[in-house]
Amino acid sequence: MARPRKPLLSTDRIVETARDLVDREGLAAVSTRRLAAELGVSGPSLYNHFRTKDEILEAVADSVSGLVDLSMFEDGRDWRTALHDWAVSYRAALREHPNIVPVLARGPGRRPAALRLADAVYGAMVAAGWPPAQATSIGALMRYFIMGSALGSFAGGFVDDASAYDPADYPHLGQAHLLAEQQEKIDERAFEAGLSALLDGLAQQYEQARA
């Protein structure tokens, strides 16, 4: 039997193509017509896999959640180390696919990978001795912190034009024009500093609760 000229359409192929499109051009670029063109198929054929554009975006978001490592909650690491390592993995996934963050920020909904992620964090915290209510709060605050760090770059938000920072108006921003070129280093350092401070605070609460 001769091979088909085009790869067979599948859910995975649609999601991968949509994710690439979101990465390149943002959420607004996604439409069933555009996806069909990217895939080399007719528009109606997509409806055999997804009913709406929103369903496609939900699947793209879940594919990114699926990139987050959860092994640290199962291999015996203490709760603080596990949270740190998970946060680093989660942020790395979001930094690879920043344009999908607004969809992820809506919450897990019915997305399987996102629900597995939430289940892993909550379960690990309860197993470590955190009361259920506090375990829920920890999952929420970690999500706020990680999502927030992925929504944009602090350093990248400053223009590299020194004339934009007139010392008469901004006496403390004389070096601000240099921030953009150090964007990755500054953002990484800020994330690690914030994460350490957050975990230090949680560790203090943990010790007080067990005293």
Side-chain angles (χ1 to χ4, degrees):
M1 180 182 294
R3 289 186 176 183
R5 293 182 180 179
K6 297 174 184 176
L8 294 175
L9 193 61
S10 67
T11 298
D12 287 344
R13 186 169 167 240
I14 295 169
V15 172
E16 289 172 8
T17 302
R19 187 173 62 210
D20 289 344
L21 183 57
V22 171
D23 288 345
R24 295 195 317 266
E25 301 182 32
L27 294 171
V30 179
S31 67
T32 52
R33 178 179 296 181
R34 177 68 186 279
L35 268 179
E38 293 273 332
L39 289 159
V41 300
S42 63
S45 62
L46 295 178
Y47 296 116
N48 294 323
H49 301 271
F50 296 100
R51 292 174 297 177
T52 65
K53 166 186 159 180
D54 285 343
E55 281 192 1
I56 295 171
L57 290 177
E58 287 287 306
V60 170
D62 210 39
S63 74
V64 173
S65 293
L67 299 175
V68 181
D69 183 13
L70 300 177
S71 64
M72 64 285 296
F73 297 118
E74 301 171 353
D75 62 10
R77 274 173 263 190
D78 65 89
W79 69 265
R80 176 177 174 145
T81 302
L83 277 183
H84 175 276
D85 295 348
W86 167 70
V88 170
S89 177
Y90 200 171
R91 179 171 177 263
L94 298 186
R95 281 170 61 86
E96 286 294 316
H97 306 282
N99 291 336
I100 199 65
V101 172
V103 179
L104 286 163
R106 298 172 191 165
R110 296 178 180 272
R111 300 193 298 269
L115 288 170
R116 284 193 293 272
L117 187 155
D119 181 73
V121 175
Y122 177 80
M125 294 305 100
V126 170
W130 286 97
Q134 286 181 279
T136 299
S137 296
I138 290 170
L141 70 89
M142 293 295 291
R143 182 169 166 274
Y144 298 151
F145 176 70
I146 297 164
M147 290 281 182
S149 75
L151 284 174
S153 166
F154 172 80
F158 291 84
V159 299
D160 60 0
D161 179 3
S163 68
Y165 308 102
D166 188 328
D169 296 320
Y170 315 109
H172 306 297
L173 296 181
Q175 302 296 309
H177 63 289
L178 302 176
L179 291 174
E181 68 182 32
Q182 299 292 323
Q183 174 179 334
E184 185 172 350
K185 182 186 297 184
I186 293 169
D187 289 346
E188 189 68 29
R189 190 169 61 214
F191 177 78
E192 281 291 344
L195 182 56
S196 293
L198 189 157
L199 294 174
D200 284 346
L202 287 177
Q204 185 175 21
Q205 291 181 28
Y206 186 76
E207 292 304 321
Q208 290 173 349
R210 296 169 67 87

